[in-house]
Amino acid sequence: MLRLNAVGAGYGRLTVLHGIDIDVPQGQVIGLLGANGAGKTTLLNTIMGLLPTRAGGIEFMGESIANMKPHMIVKRGVTLVPQGRELFPSMTVRENLELAGLSFSSKDEIDTLREEQFTHFPRLRERQAQRAQTLSGGEQQMLAIARALMLRPKLLLLDEPTMGLAPMVVDDLGRVLRSLCEEQGQTILVVEQNLRLILSTTEHVHVMRNGKNVFDAETQTLRKDKDILRFYLE
């Protein structure tokens, strides 16, 4: 579904990404691990057209999206949940969801999509009249993902979704991501430092260090030897 071929990108004179190769097959959850400064967020911003691609190619569903405008990439079915969640804090849960769906859906479709999100995240149904700023960190992350799903993405990109969350909330989030993949066929690329989420959720893991690919393997293999991944995160 998504293919990155020798992608290079950066800021000003600084090159951050050096020849990144990653494949994200349709209907799978793929993990991208790396320590702080590895270039993970830069990579997501490049995929979304927020940074120019300086080298290599990015294909989505067989079409080049390298250097395409961000709104056109979203229109083709790629949606990013960034670090920090970027919710509308003074709006309610329900309003955040409905606003997200306005660009792509009719009122009836928005109602259906909203109910789907409440099925995925029952806690949001209970909190639908609350302002986003009053939610816990875990609830805010659930809302951020639910809001992205209101756009009906073919590919969902998640940037450090477990940041600041308790282990129990991380486990809940992992179960939701697996459910989205197994029951809805949702394709997900999740960028993380949290081994707990990556090992419980993904089919394949890629590791970045200093803006380069340094390792990749099937998750099933890595569950038997977690020290391999810990080495690359140090």
Short mmCIF file of all heavy atoms in Angstrom, two decimals, residues 82-128:
data_model
loop_
_atom_site.label_atom_id
_atom_site.label_comp_id
_atom_site.label_asym_id
_atom_site.label_seq_id
_atom_site.Cartn_x
_atom_site.Cartn_y
_atom_site.Cartn_z
N PRO A 82 -0.68 13.22 14.96
CA PRO A 82 0.66 13.69 15.35
C PRO A 82 0.90 13.59 16.84
O PRO A 82 -0.02 13.35 17.63
CB PRO A 82 0.64 15.17 14.92
CG PRO A 82 -0.80 15.57 15.08
CD PRO A 82 -1.61 14.34 14.70
N GLN A 83 2.15 13.76 17.23
CA GLN A 83 2.45 13.92 18.65
C GLN A 83 1.71 15.14 19.18
O GLN A 83 1.55 16.14 18.48
CB GLN A 83 3.96 14.14 18.85
CG GLN A 83 4.81 12.92 18.62
CD GLN A 83 6.27 13.19 18.98
OE1 GLN A 83 6.58 13.88 19.96
NE2 GLN A 83 7.18 12.64 18.19
N GLY A 84 1.27 15.07 20.43
CA GLY A 84 0.57 16.21 20.99
C GLY A 84 -0.92 16.22 20.70
O GLY A 84 -1.65 17.05 21.21
N ARG A 85 -1.37 15.30 19.81
CA ARG A 85 -2.79 15.05 19.54
C ARG A 85 -3.50 16.17 18.81
O ARG A 85 -4.35 15.93 17.98
CB ARG A 85 -3.53 14.71 20.85
CG ARG A 85 -3.00 13.42 21.47
CD ARG A 85 -3.05 13.42 22.97
NE ARG A 85 -2.26 12.34 23.53
CZ ARG A 85 -1.89 12.29 24.79
NH1 ARG A 85 -2.27 13.23 25.64
NH2 ARG A 85 -1.15 11.30 25.22
N GLU A 86 -3.21 17.45 19.14
CA GLU A 86 -3.76 18.59 18.41
C GLU A 86 -5.28 18.57 18.33
O GLU A 86 -5.87 18.75 17.26
CB GLU A 86 -3.12 18.69 17.01
CG GLU A 86 -1.62 18.94 17.08
CD GLU A 86 -0.98 19.17 15.73
OE1 GLU A 86 -1.71 19.23 14.72
OE2 GLU A 86 0.26 19.30 15.68
N LEU A 87 -5.91 18.33 19.45
CA LEU A 87 -7.36 18.40 19.55
C LEU A 87 -7.80 19.86 19.67
O LEU A 87 -7.00 20.76 19.91
CB LEU A 87 -7.84 17.61 20.76
CG LEU A 87 -7.46 16.13 20.81
CD1 LEU A 87 -7.79 15.54 22.16
CD2 LEU A 87 -8.16 15.36 19.69
N PHE A 88 -9.11 20.08 19.53
CA PHE A 88 -9.67 21.39 19.83
C PHE A 88 -10.08 21.34 21.30
O PHE A 88 -11.13 20.78 21.64
CB PHE A 88 -10.86 21.69 18.92
CG PHE A 88 -10.47 21.82 17.47
CD1 PHE A 88 -10.69 20.78 16.58
CD2 PHE A 88 -9.87 22.98 17.01
CE1 PHE A 88 -10.32 20.89 15.25
CE2 PHE A 88 -9.50 23.11 15.67
CZ PHE A 88 -9.72 22.06 14.79
N PRO A 89 -9.28 21.91 22.20
CA PRO A 89 -9.45 21.66 23.63
C PRO A 89 -10.77 22.16 24.21
O PRO A 89 -11.30 21.55 25.15
CB PRO A 89 -8.26 22.39 24.27
CG PRO A 89 -7.82 23.38 23.25
CD PRO A 89 -8.11 22.75 21.93
N SER A 90 -11.31 23.26 23.68
CA SER A 90 -12.53 23.82 24.26
C SER A 90 -13.79 23.21 23.66
O SER A 90 -14.90 23.51 24.11
CB SER A 90 -12.56 25.34 24.07
OG SER A 90 -12.57 25.67 22.69
N MET A 91 -13.63 22.34 22.65
CA MET A 91 -14.77 21.67 22.04
C MET A 91 -15.00 20.33 22.72
O MET A 91 -14.07 19.73 23.26
CB MET A 91 -14.56 21.49 20.54
CG MET A 91 -14.37 22.78 19.77
SD MET A 91 -14.09 22.49 18.02
CE MET A 91 -15.75 22.55 17.42
N THR A 92 -16.23 19.84 22.67
CA THR A 92 -16.55 18.56 23.28
C THR A 92 -16.01 17.41 22.43
O THR A 92 -15.60 17.60 21.28
CB THR A 92 -18.06 18.38 23.44
OG1 THR A 92 -18.66 18.31 22.13
CG2 THR A 92 -18.68 19.53 24.22
N VAL A 93 -16.05 16.23 23.01
CA VAL A 93 -15.66 15.03 22.27
C VAL A 93 -16.50 14.91 21.00
O VAL A 93 -15.97 14.70 19.89
CB VAL A 93 -15.85 13.78 23.15
CG1 VAL A 93 -15.75 12.50 22.33
CG2 VAL A 93 -14.83 13.77 24.29
N ARG A 94 -17.78 15.05 21.13
CA ARG A 94 -18.69 14.93 19.99
C ARG A 94 -18.38 15.97 18.92
O ARG A 94 -18.35 15.67 17.73
CB ARG A 94 -20.13 15.07 20.49
CG ARG A 94 -21.20 14.79 19.43
CD ARG A 94 -22.59 15.06 19.98
NE ARG A 94 -23.63 14.76 19.00
CZ ARG A 94 -24.35 13.66 19.02
NH1 ARG A 94 -24.17 12.76 19.95
NH2 ARG A 94 -25.28 13.45 18.09
N GLU A 95 -18.13 17.21 19.35
CA GLU A 95 -17.84 18.28 18.39
C GLU A 95 -16.52 18.05 17.68
O GLU A 95 -16.40 18.31 16.47
CB GLU A 95 -17.82 19.63 19.12
CG GLU A 95 -19.19 20.09 19.57
CD GLU A 95 -19.15 21.25 20.55
OE1 GLU A 95 -18.06 21.50 21.14
OE2 GLU A 95 -20.19 21.90 20.74
N ASN A 96 -15.50 17.56 18.38
CA ASN A 96 -14.23 17.23 17.74
C ASN A 96 -14.43 16.20 16.64
O ASN A 96 -13.86 16.32 15.54
CB ASN A 96 -13.23 16.71 18.77
CG ASN A 96 -12.34 17.79 19.36
OD1 ASN A 96 -11.29 18.13 18.80
ND2 ASN A 96 -12.76 18.34 20.49
N LEU A 97 -15.23 15.18 16.92
CA LEU A 97 -15.47 14.12 15.94
C LEU A 97 -16.26 14.65 14.74
O LEU A 97 -15.90 14.39 13.58
CB LEU A 97 -16.21 12.95 16.58
CG LEU A 97 -15.44 12.18 17.66
CD1 LEU A 97 -16.33 11.11 18.28
CD2 LEU A 97 -14.19 11.54 17.08
N GLU A 98 -17.31 15.38 15.01
CA GLU A 98 -18.16 15.85 13.93
C GLU A 98 -17.43 16.84 13.04
O GLU A 98 -17.61 16.84 11.81
CB GLU A 98 -19.44 16.45 14.50
CG GLU A 98 -20.34 15.40 15.14
CD GLU A 98 -21.60 15.98 15.77
OE1 GLU A 98 -21.66 17.22 15.94
OE2 GLU A 98 -22.51 15.19 16.11
N LEU A 99 -16.61 17.70 13.63
CA LEU A 99 -15.86 18.66 12.84
C LEU A 99 -14.89 17.96 11.90
O LEU A 99 -14.71 18.37 10.74
CB LEU A 99 -15.09 19.61 13.76
CG LEU A 99 -14.33 20.74 13.08
CD1 LEU A 99 -15.28 21.65 12.31
CD2 LEU A 99 -13.55 21.56 14.10
N ALA A 100 -14.29 16.88 12.37
CA ALA A 100 -13.34 16.14 11.53
C ALA A 100 -14.01 15.57 10.30
O ALA A 100 -13.40 15.47 9.23
CB ALA A 100 -12.70 15.03 12.34
N GLY A 101 -15.29 15.18 10.41
CA GLY A 101 -15.96 14.53 9.29
C GLY A 101 -16.58 15.47 8.28
O GLY A 101 -17.02 15.02 7.21
N LEU A 102 -16.58 16.76 8.56
CA LEU A 102 -17.32 17.71 7.70
C LEU A 102 -16.79 17.77 6.27
O LEU A 102 -17.57 17.95 5.34
CB LEU A 102 -17.28 19.12 8.31
CG LEU A 102 -18.18 19.35 9.53
CD1 LEU A 102 -17.99 20.77 10.06
CD2 LEU A 102 -19.64 19.14 9.14
N SER A 103 -15.49 17.63 6.10
CA SER A 103 -14.91 17.81 4.77
C SER A 103 -15.24 16.68 3.81
O SER A 103 -15.22 16.88 2.59
CB SER A 103 -13.38 17.92 4.89
OG SER A 103 -13.02 19.03 5.68
N PHE A 104 -15.53 15.49 4.33
CA PHE A 104 -15.63 14.32 3.47
C PHE A 104 -16.99 13.62 3.51
O PHE A 104 -17.26 12.76 2.68
CB PHE A 104 -14.56 13.29 3.86
CG PHE A 104 -13.16 13.75 3.61
CD1 PHE A 104 -12.42 14.36 4.60
CD2 PHE A 104 -12.56 13.60 2.37
CE1 PHE A 104 -11.13 14.80 4.38
CE2 PHE A 104 -11.28 14.03 2.12
CZ PHE A 104 -10.55 14.64 3.13
N SER A 105 -17.85 14.00 4.46
CA SER A 105 -19.04 13.19 4.68
C SER A 105 -20.30 14.04 4.83
O SER A 105 -20.24 15.21 5.24
CB SER A 105 -18.87 12.35 5.96
OG SER A 105 -17.69 11.57 5.90
N SER A 106 -21.44 13.44 4.50
CA SER A 106 -22.73 14.07 4.74
C SER A 106 -23.09 13.91 6.22
O SER A 106 -22.42 13.19 6.96
CB SER A 106 -23.80 13.40 3.88
OG SER A 106 -24.01 12.06 4.31
N LYS A 107 -24.17 14.57 6.65
CA LYS A 107 -24.58 14.48 8.05
C LYS A 107 -24.89 13.04 8.45
O LYS A 107 -24.49 12.59 9.52
CB LYS A 107 -25.81 15.36 8.31
CG LYS A 107 -26.23 15.37 9.78
CD LYS A 107 -27.44 16.22 10.01
CE LYS A 107 -27.79 16.26 11.51
NZ LYS A 107 -27.94 14.92 12.11
N ASP A 108 -25.60 12.31 7.58
CA ASP A 108 -25.91 10.92 7.91
C ASP A 108 -24.65 10.08 8.03
O ASP A 108 -24.53 9.22 8.92
CB ASP A 108 -26.83 10.32 6.84
CG ASP A 108 -28.25 10.87 6.93
OD1 ASP A 108 -28.59 11.47 7.97
OD2 ASP A 108 -29.01 10.71 5.96
N GLU A 109 -23.70 10.34 7.12
CA GLU A 109 -22.43 9.60 7.18
C GLU A 109 -21.66 9.95 8.44
O GLU A 109 -21.04 9.07 9.07
CB GLU A 109 -21.59 9.91 5.94
CG GLU A 109 -22.14 9.30 4.66
CD GLU A 109 -21.40 9.79 3.42
OE1 GLU A 109 -20.94 10.95 3.42
OE2 GLU A 109 -21.30 9.01 2.46
N ILE A 110 -21.67 11.21 8.83
CA ILE A 110 -20.99 11.63 10.05
C ILE A 110 -21.59 10.94 11.27
O ILE A 110 -20.87 10.46 12.16
CB ILE A 110 -21.08 13.17 10.21
CG1 ILE A 110 -20.18 13.85 9.17
CG2 ILE A 110 -20.65 13.59 11.62
CD1 ILE A 110 -20.31 15.35 9.14
N ASP A 111 -22.92 10.84 11.30
CA ASP A 111 -23.58 10.15 12.42
C ASP A 111 -23.14 8.70 12.49
O ASP A 111 -22.86 8.17 13.58
CB ASP A 111 -25.10 10.22 12.26
CG ASP A 111 -25.65 11.63 12.48
OD1 ASP A 111 -24.92 12.47 13.05
OD2 ASP A 111 -26.79 11.88 12.06
N THR A 112 -23.07 8.05 11.32
CA THR A 112 -22.65 6.64 11.28
C THR A 112 -21.20 6.49 11.72
O THR A 112 -20.86 5.60 12.52
CB THR A 112 -22.82 6.08 9.86
OG1 THR A 112 -24.20 6.15 9.48
CG2 THR A 112 -22.36 4.63 9.78
N LEU A 113 -20.33 7.37 11.21
CA LEU A 113 -18.91 7.31 11.55
C LEU A 113 -18.69 7.58 13.04
O LEU A 113 -17.86 6.94 13.69
CB LEU A 113 -18.12 8.32 10.72
CG LEU A 113 -17.94 7.97 9.24
CD1 LEU A 113 -17.45 9.18 8.45
CD2 LEU A 113 -16.97 6.80 9.08
N ARG A 114 -19.45 8.53 13.58
CA ARG A 114 -19.32 8.84 15.00
C ARG A 114 -19.69 7.63 15.85
O ARG A 114 -19.02 7.31 16.83
CB ARG A 114 -20.19 10.04 15.36
CG ARG A 114 -20.01 10.53 16.80
CD ARG A 114 -21.01 11.60 17.17
NE ARG A 114 -22.37 11.09 17.12
CZ ARG A 114 -23.31 11.53 16.28
NH1 ARG A 114 -23.06 12.49 15.41
NH2 ARG A 114 -24.52 11.00 16.31
N GLU A 115 -20.76 6.95 15.47
CA GLU A 115 -21.17 5.77 16.21
C GLU A 115 -20.12 4.67 16.11
O GLU A 115 -19.91 3.91 17.07
CB GLU A 115 -22.53 5.27 15.71
CG GLU A 115 -23.69 6.14 16.13
CD GLU A 115 -23.78 6.27 17.65
OE1 GLU A 115 -23.76 5.24 18.35
OE2 GLU A 115 -23.83 7.42 18.15
N GLU A 116 -19.47 4.56 14.97
CA GLU A 116 -18.39 3.59 14.83
C GLU A 116 -17.27 3.88 15.82
O GLU A 116 -16.71 2.97 16.44
CB GLU A 116 -17.84 3.60 13.40
CG GLU A 116 -18.76 2.97 12.37
CD GLU A 116 -18.15 3.01 10.98
OE1 GLU A 116 -16.97 3.42 10.84
OE2 GLU A 116 -18.85 2.63 10.01
N GLN A 117 -16.94 5.16 15.97
CA GLN A 117 -15.86 5.53 16.90
C GLN A 117 -16.26 5.24 18.34
O GLN A 117 -15.43 4.80 19.15
CB GLN A 117 -15.48 7.01 16.73
CG GLN A 117 -15.11 7.43 15.32
CD GLN A 117 -14.36 6.38 14.54
OE1 GLN A 117 -13.38 5.79 15.02
NE2 GLN A 117 -14.82 6.11 13.32
N PHE A 118 -17.52 5.46 18.66
CA PHE A 118 -17.98 5.16 20.02
C PHE A 118 -17.96 3.65 20.28
O PHE A 118 -17.80 3.21 21.42
CB PHE A 118 -19.38 5.72 20.25
CG PHE A 118 -19.42 7.22 20.37
CD1 PHE A 118 -20.60 7.91 20.10
CD2 PHE A 118 -18.31 7.93 20.75
CE1 PHE A 118 -20.65 9.29 20.22
CE2 PHE A 118 -18.35 9.32 20.88
CZ PHE A 118 -19.53 10.00 20.61
N THR A 119 -18.12 2.85 19.21
CA THR A 119 -18.01 1.40 19.36
C THR A 119 -16.55 1.00 19.61
O THR A 119 -16.27 0.16 20.46
CB THR A 119 -18.53 0.70 18.09
OG1 THR A 119 -19.91 1.04 17.91
CG2 THR A 119 -18.40 -0.81 18.22
N HIS A 120 -15.62 1.63 18.87
CA HIS A 120 -14.20 1.35 19.08
C HIS A 120 -13.73 1.83 20.44
O HIS A 120 -12.91 1.18 21.10
CB HIS A 120 -13.35 2.04 18.00
CG HIS A 120 -13.59 1.57 16.61
ND1 HIS A 120 -13.72 0.25 16.29
CD2 HIS A 120 -13.73 2.26 15.44
CE1 HIS A 120 -13.93 0.12 14.98
NE2 HIS A 120 -13.94 1.33 14.46
N PHE A 121 -14.23 2.99 20.85
CA PHE A 121 -13.77 3.65 22.08
C PHE A 121 -14.98 3.96 22.97
O PHE A 121 -15.46 5.10 23.01
CB PHE A 121 -13.04 4.95 21.75
CG PHE A 121 -11.87 4.79 20.82
CD1 PHE A 121 -11.99 5.08 19.46
CD2 PHE A 121 -10.64 4.36 21.29
CE1 PHE A 121 -10.92 4.95 18.61
CE2 PHE A 121 -9.55 4.23 20.45
CZ PHE A 121 -9.68 4.51 19.09
N PRO A 122 -15.51 2.95 23.68
CA PRO A 122 -16.72 3.16 24.50
C PRO A 122 -16.59 4.30 25.50
O PRO A 122 -17.58 4.96 25.83
CB PRO A 122 -16.89 1.81 25.21
CG PRO A 122 -16.18 0.82 24.35
CD PRO A 122 -15.03 1.56 23.74
N ARG A 123 -15.38 4.54 25.98
CA ARG A 123 -15.20 5.61 26.95
C ARG A 123 -15.54 6.98 26.35
O ARG A 123 -15.98 7.88 27.05
CB ARG A 123 -13.75 5.61 27.47
CG ARG A 123 -13.65 5.99 28.94
CD ARG A 123 -12.24 5.79 29.47
NE ARG A 123 -11.71 4.48 29.16
CZ ARG A 123 -10.46 4.11 29.38
NH1 ARG A 123 -9.61 4.97 29.92
NH2 ARG A 123 -10.05 2.90 29.09
N LEU A 124 -15.33 7.12 25.06
CA LEU A 124 -15.65 8.39 24.41
C LEU A 124 -17.15 8.62 24.36
O LEU A 124 -17.61 9.77 24.41
CB LEU A 124 -15.06 8.44 23.00
CG LEU A 124 -13.53 8.43 22.90
CD1 LEU A 124 -13.11 8.55 21.45
CD2 LEU A 124 -12.90 9.55 23.75
N ARG A 125 -17.92 7.56 24.24
CA ARG A 125 -19.38 7.72 24.28
C ARG A 125 -19.80 8.28 25.65
O ARG A 125 -20.65 9.17 25.72
CB ARG A 125 -20.06 6.37 24.04
CG ARG A 125 -21.60 6.48 23.96
CD ARG A 125 -22.25 5.12 23.92
NE ARG A 125 -21.85 4.34 22.76
CZ ARG A 125 -22.41 4.47 21.55
NH1 ARG A 125 -23.37 5.35 21.35
NH2 ARG A 125 -21.99 3.70 20.56
N GLU A 126 -19.17 7.76 26.70
CA GLU A 126 -19.49 8.25 28.04
C GLU A 126 -19.06 9.70 28.23
O GLU A 126 -19.66 10.43 29.03
CB GLU A 126 -18.77 7.38 29.08
CG GLU A 126 -19.17 5.91 29.04
CD GLU A 126 -18.26 5.05 29.91
OE1 GLU A 126 -17.40 5.63 30.63
OE2 GLU A 126 -18.39 3.81 29.86
N ARG A 127 -18.02 10.12 27.49
CA ARG A 127 -17.46 11.46 27.67
C ARG A 127 -17.85 12.41 26.54
O ARG A 127 -17.31 13.51 26.45
CB ARG A 127 -15.92 11.38 27.69
CG ARG A 127 -15.33 10.41 28.68
CD ARG A 127 -15.35 10.94 30.10
NE ARG A 127 -14.48 10.17 30.97
CZ ARG A 127 -14.85 9.09 31.64
NH1 ARG A 127 -16.09 8.63 31.51
NH2 ARG A 127 -14.01 8.47 32.43
N GLN A 128 -18.81 12.06 25.71
CA GLN A 128 -19.05 12.82 24.49
C GLN A 128 -19.44 14.28 24.72
O GLN A 128 -19.23 15.13 23.86
CB GLN A 128 -20.09 12.14 23.60
CG GLN A 128 -21.46 11.96 24.20
CD GLN A 128 -22.40 11.27 23.23
OE1 GLN A 128 -22.71 11.78 22.15
NE2 GLN A 128 -22.84 10.07 23.58
#
